[in-house]
Amino acid sequence: MIAIKKIAIHAIPKLALALFLAQNAAATPAIAHWTQASGAQVYLVESPGIPMLDVEIDFDAGSRRDPREKAGLAAVTADMVSAGVRAQGGAPALDENALSEAWADLGASFGAAASRDRMSFALRTLTFPDLLPKAVQLAARELGAPSFPHAIWQRNRQRLDAALKEADTRPGTIAGRAFDAAVYGDHPYGYDMTAATLSRISVADMQALYASEIQPCRAKVSLVGAVTREQADALVRTLLSRLPAGEGCAPLPAIPQVQPLVKARDIRIPFDAAQAHLLIGQPGFRRADPDYFALRVGDYILGGGGFASRLSEEVRQKRALSYSVYSAFSPGLDAGAFTIALQTRPDQADEALAVARGVLARFVADGPTEAELKAAKDHLIGGFPLLLDSNRKLLGNVANIAWYGLPLDYLDTWTAQVQKVSAAEVRAAFQRKLQPDRMVTVVVGATRPAAASATRAAPAASEPAHATMPPGAGHE
């Protein structure tokens, strides 16, 4: 068994590299889709050249379904899936150490994570006949019969409490959570996990979430690897076989939409740091929005294109106010935030804000030039193959197609959709989605007093950790 473990562990990276090289020369892969009798939706890309398989199983069980008073429930529930499995069907219980060792013996991996919208389970395994069935059976046990041991949850909660306290010392975290609270208001996208919310979460809450939301009829399963459609169909049935079928799989409660801002807010939070953290933004758009491609291309020009962007040229290169500055949309099932982010010396914060706001206002009013538009398209289209150059990236894109209900030929038409975007469409889309006079501005660390009209906000001791928003979102 040890020999198998060593061979498998060393084989997977080499096989992934081979897949990278093979797919670079291949056409956009075809996606097969069907619905099983359980209601599970399956999306498959057959890749027979390499004996490996990647699977992602998504459920509508992300943090947007957390009760405010128990924010973090989805995240900790996903984390606890690997804490052990119950005895079931004659198979003995496994604690977290035994479970970890079992995966190591197979040279495979299985894990769970929760984002804003979904709870996702990921399996990666070789497809050799002596390994694949065992990996799928073990994944089915971990997915379908987590034991949620109370003692492990208490240990994990203490670890999270310590991490939250450490995060409270970072200005980026403070800026991020103040920004989210102001942009999202009462929407669950703005909820933050805190020591207080963690203290209210019990194992019974995790079991209840699992019983109501992790059901075969709610599953969207994406597979990329060396399996046929018939094999994939059987694998998915096995993976979901230990989950409760539910009674009719009634629709989950609707989530209220993110509300637009009615006025600008300027939030200044004193913090003793060498760099001030600045965030500007407002609710953006949902992933299903028809303006998606115009906004994607336009954002590359505005601030998503790194050193090639307008924000970088004006803030960094011309005025040396910041080493880096970016803008990004984060669309999801609900309207994710539009964000401009930068760091600067505290005494330069107001100047940097004025420059960034000016760049945004001019871009929304006038849109891009034809030269900027061509450069953005060339970069995005030229980089498209890199979005599919590994099993993981391809699986992420297939899972996104499944999750958002995008056309099965979405990857085939992606470059054409980018190519046909016009400057007028970018300008119109930005004017529909963004209102520069109604942005939230958060400054953490500036020493200069806020303007008289500004809203002052100080971090509460119980507020949670929150990372500063990263640029970009999604798999493509």
Side-chain angles (χ1 to χ4, degrees), residues 417-435:
Q417 295 275 11
V418 170
Q419 187 62 57
K420 73 179 184 181
V421 170
S422 69
E425 288 172 336
V426 172
R427 182 174 62 251
F430 269 74
Q431 290 177 355
R432 280 192 287 269
K433 296 301 184 299
L434 298 185
Q435 297 76 44

Side-chain angles (χ1 to χ4, degrees), residues 7-326:
I7 291 170
I9 289 173
H10 290 293
I12 285 180
K14 295 178 181 178
L15 293 172
L17 177 60
L19 182 63
F20 171 93
L21 297 174
Q23 288 183 340
N24 265 348
T28 303
I31 302 173
H33 167 52
W34 66 95
T35 301
Q36 294 190 332
S38 67
Q41 298 184 47
V42 186
Y43 296 76
L44 169 67
V45 172
E46 294 186 40
S47 181
I50 308 296
M52 61 186 301
L53 173 68
D54 282 275
V55 183
E56 179 172 327
I57 310 171
D58 293 319
F59 298 90
D60 185 356
S63 62
R64 72 182 190 135
R65 296 202 171 276
D66 288 349
R68 179 189 284 275
E69 71 277 9
K70 297 182 180 180
L73 173 59
V76 300
T77 300
D79 187 53
M80 284 288 290
V81 168
S82 62
V85 298
R86 303 190 305 270
Q88 196 178 45
L94 299 174
D95 63 16
E96 60 177 344
N97 293 328
L99 194 54
S100 177
E101 182 65 21
W103 282 115
D105 286 343
L106 291 170
S109 64
F110 183 80
S115 63
R116 295 181 309 183
D117 290 338
R118 44 183 150 166
M119 186 177 294
S120 303
F121 300 83
L123 168 66
R124 166 166 273 208
T125 178
L126 296 170
T127 56
F128 298 138
D130 58 335
L131 294 176
L132 179 60
K134 295 176 182 176
V136 172
Q137 286 288 350
L138 185 58
R141 290 195 66 194
E142 188 167 338
L143 171 64
S147 55
F148 296 125
H150 176 76
I152 300 298
W153 163 231
Q154 293 306 310
R155 183 202 65 187
N156 288 358
R157 188 174 65 79
Q158 292 176 7
R159 173 174 53 82
L160 288 170
D161 281 346
L164 291 170
K165 288 178 181 176
E166 191 279 332
D168 281 344
T169 67
R170 286 183 263 138
T173 302
I174 295 170
R177 69 192 186 199
F179 180 81
D180 275 2
V183 167
Y184 293 120
D186 291 331
H187 191 276
Y189 277 3
Y191 294 174
D192 273 322
M193 179 170 62
T194 70
T197 65
L198 288 175
S199 71
R200 302 186 189 103
I201 296 173
S202 67
V203 165
D205 294 321
M206 302 176 199
Q207 293 168 332
L209 182 158
Y210 229 76
S212 63
E213 299 171 14
I214 311 299
Q215 300 176 355
C217 59
R218 306 189 192 283
K220 293 190 175 182
V221 188
S222 302
L223 307 95
V224 175
V227 293
T228 65
R229 174 171 175 147
E230 290 71 24
Q231 288 175 310
D233 195 53
L235 290 174
V236 172
R237 284 199 305 273
T238 300
L239 285 169
L240 304 178
S241 62
R242 295 173 186 259
L243 290 173
E247 297 180 359
C249 212
L252 295 171
I255 305 294
Q257 293 188 6
V258 177
Q259 295 301 305
L261 301 179
V262 297
K263 62 179 180 181
R265 291 190 64 189
D266 190 349
I267 300 171
R268 306 292 179 114
I269 302 175
F271 196 94
D272 185 13
Q275 292 282 298
H277 290 245
L278 281 61
L279 296 173
I280 305 170
Q282 66 177 183
F285 65 97
R286 301 173 69 230
R287 180 59 181 80
D289 195 290
D291 284 333
Y292 174 79
F293 282 99
L295 294 165
R296 173 73 185 268
V297 174
D299 185 62
Y300 179 88
I301 300 165
L302 172 62
F307 292 159
S309 73
R310 276 199 191 186
L311 281 168
S312 183
E313 180 180 3
E314 296 295 329
V315 176
R316 179 183 186 275
Q317 297 169 37
K318 288 185 177 178
R319 297 172 178 83
L321 292 171
S322 178
Y323 180 75
S324 68
V325 55
Y326 70 82

